[in-house]
Amino acid sequence: DSTYGIGKEIERNTFVGAKDTEEDVPHHYSTRQELIRLFSKFQNLKIRSSSNSYIDDRGQNRIRKYFNVEALK
């Protein structure tokens, strides 16, 4: 994701302050392997990756990459 590393790192791979409108919203950057580990006690785990592009408030083209996760506890 092109926004990785923007803002203040508050823990490993987690940043705040990446966007002017989301100053206090933490954004965690994860891998598929980390999600599999985090959801290891869930059933029917489905992880789909997606991406899209947008122009940020500074006029820079950004690519957003994210996972959609579905699971049953």
Side-chain angles (χ1 to χ4, degrees):
D1 192 301
S2 62
T3 61
Y4 179 85
I6 297 176
K8 179 183 176 187
E9 189 170 26
I10 59 172
E11 68 176 34
R12 186 171 180 250
N13 297 323
T14 305
F15 301 86
V16 293
K19 293 177 67 177
D20 289 340
T21 57
E22 298 182 0
E23 291 88 350
D24 298 322
V25 178
H27 294 269
H28 181 76
Y29 297 83
S30 182
T31 64
R32 181 181 296 273
Q33 291 77 20
E34 180 183 22
L35 292 172
I36 290 169
R37 183 178 50 79
L38 290 171
F39 287 90
S40 65
K41 295 185 179 183
F42 288 69
Q43 297 177 355
N44 299 338
L45 179 62
K46 296 177 187 173
I47 303 173
R48 292 185 304 276
S49 59
S50 297
S51 67
N52 57 35
S53 63
Y54 66 98
I55 305 297
D56 71 10
D57 50 353
R58 296 179 181 100
Q60 294 182 335
N61 188 33
R62 299 282 184 187
I63 298 173
R64 178 182 297 134
K65 297 178 182 179
Y66 53 94
F67 294 105
N68 291 305
V69 179
E70 294 179 32
L72 293 174
K73 178 83 174 163

